[in-house]
Amino acid sequence: MGCCSSRNVDSKASRVNRWRSTGIVALRDSKLKTFPEDVLNLERSVRTLDLTHNKIVDIPLDISKLINMQRLVLADNLIQRLPINLGKLQSLKVMTLDGNRVTSLPDEFGQLVRLERLSISRNALEYLPETIGSLRNLQLLDVSNNKLKSLPESIGSCFSLEELQANDNFIEDLPESICNLIHLKSLCLNNNDVKQIPTNILKDCKALQNISLHGNPISMDQFQQMEGFQEFEARRRRKFDKQIDSNVMISSKGLDEGVDL
């Protein structure tokens, strides 16, 4: 009995030492119901934390100890609320929260100024905080499969944004500020209630190559009559031709043609 207990202690110590030396904590599919205390005790050592597919409900306030963490993956858990202390993780570049039960993001989310990729699809978000506009380094935002009725005006301040995915929500219109996103390449709004999009979006978003609006009450005629459509169409075709030349297949549906109404 003592020998077995000793081996368990050694195994635990070995695992913690490995986490400390590599900076990577991978505990996917570990049947966890609570946030692991051993991880919090590592503090500055943690660079990547992956707790995908567990049964974690709460994120402790002490997560703020992990101040050097750059990648946080909490997909497919049972998380309902995010602590305000999450905003103190100012080294964070990637956050994945897909497949939880989150209903809102705290205002302190705007403090994550180094964040580059935020994926929070398949939750229960009803709105995004205005402070999201402080995420000036954000390149990817995925809020698909939530309960959003709109996007905040401040989204236009996410100047680095290249890809915005908001499929399967209840969005009726887009803020005019989205026209400020000069690096935006892909805008996906399938299965919403969008009747029209900002009139200058094709003219002002000069990097835009892909717009997907399948399942919305907007017609192709409306889209084609917008200023900047010809330039958008040229960019779309260049992208499509490049994919053909490279023989790159995008998903099981084949090549991504860049527009879907």
Side-chain angles (χ1 to χ4, degrees):
M1 191 75 174
C3 178
C4 210
S5 175
S6 176
R7 280 201 301 269
N8 287 340
V9 170
D10 289 344
S11 174
K12 181 178 178 181
S14 172
R15 183 174 66 170
V16 170
N17 285 334
R18 184 174 68 252
W19 291 344
R20 182 176 284 109
S21 63
T22 64
I24 300 171
V25 179
L27 289 169
R28 299 170 68 101
D29 299 288
S30 297
K31 299 180 180 178
L32 298 173
K33 293 184 179 180
T34 58
F35 204 94
E37 191 72 27
D38 292 342
V39 174
L40 296 174
N41 292 335
L42 291 171
E43 299 188 359
R44 295 173 179 268
S45 299
V46 179
R47 300 292 193 283
T48 294
L49 174 58
D50 186 351
L51 299 175
T52 298
H53 203 254
N54 283 287
K55 296 182 179 180
I56 297 170
V57 176
D58 293 314
I59 302 175
L61 287 172
D62 280 351
I63 196 172
S64 60
K65 292 180 178 179
L66 309 180
I67 60 172
N68 290 323
M69 185 162 56
Q70 296 180 17
R71 184 180 178 91
L72 176 60
V73 186
L74 294 166
D76 300 314
N77 278 278
L78 303 173
I79 298 164
Q80 297 180 21
R81 288 181 298 277
L82 301 176
I84 60 174
N85 279 22
L86 212 57
K88 295 184 178 180
L89 301 177
Q90 295 191 8
S91 296
L92 207 59
K93 292 183 178 180
V94 177
M95 183 183 295
T96 304
L97 291 159
D98 303 324
N100 280 281
R101 300 175 179 180
V102 179
T103 57
S104 64
L105 301 179
D107 288 341
E108 288 76 11
F109 223 76
Q111 297 171 14
L112 300 174
V113 293
R114 290 189 177 88
L115 199 64
E116 296 175 0
R117 300 175 68 87
L118 172 59
S119 189
I120 188 167
S121 66
R122 294 182 289 115
N123 276 271
L125 288 176
E126 297 180 357
Y127 66 92
L128 296 176
E130 285 289 340
T131 55
I132 203 165
S134 299
L135 306 182
R136 304 297 170 84
N137 289 305
L138 195 66
Q139 297 171 23
L140 166 71
L141 176 61
D142 187 351
V143 290
S144 299
N145 293 94
N146 278 282
K147 298 179 179 180
L148 299 173
K149 294 181 179 179
S150 64
L151 297 174
E153 188 69 29
S154 66
I155 195 108
S157 295
C158 297
F159 297 123
S160 299
L161 200 61
E162 296 181 3
E163 184 174 352
L164 174 54
Q165 298 185 22
N167 299 320
D168 298 287
N169 280 283
F170 304 99
I171 297 170
E172 297 179 0
D173 52 32
L174 300 178
E176 290 291 333
S177 67
I178 206 165
C179 297
N180 297 335
L181 302 178
I182 60 173
H183 299 292
L184 190 66
K185 295 179 180 179
S186 181
L187 176 61
C188 297
L189 290 159
N190 293 331
N191 304 319
N192 279 280
D193 195 27
V194 177
K195 298 177 178 64
Q196 61 182 19
I197 56 179
T199 54
N200 288 335
I201 190 170
L202 298 183
K203 180 169 70 78
D204 294 343
C205 296
K206 297 184 184 301
L208 199 58
Q209 299 172 337
N210 173 63
I211 295 183
S212 193
L213 289 160
H214 179 72
N216 285 277
I218 183 172
S219 70
M220 190 65 180
D221 285 344
Q222 285 175 270
F223 190 71
Q224 289 176 335
Q225 290 170 15
M226 293 176 63
E227 187 177 358
F229 175 77
Q230 296 301 327
E231 292 80 3
F232 164 76
E233 183 69 1
R235 289 193 301 271
R236 182 188 74 82
R237 288 191 178 280
R238 282 197 298 270
K239 177 191 174 189
F240 187 52
D241 291 344
K242 191 173 182 180
Q243 288 174 352
I244 293 175
D245 291 343
S246 303
N247 197 27
V248 177
M249 300 304 291
I250 307 297
S251 82
S252 60
K253 296 180 181 178
L255 287 165
D256 174 14
E257 297 188 48
V259 63
D260 181 5
L261 293 173

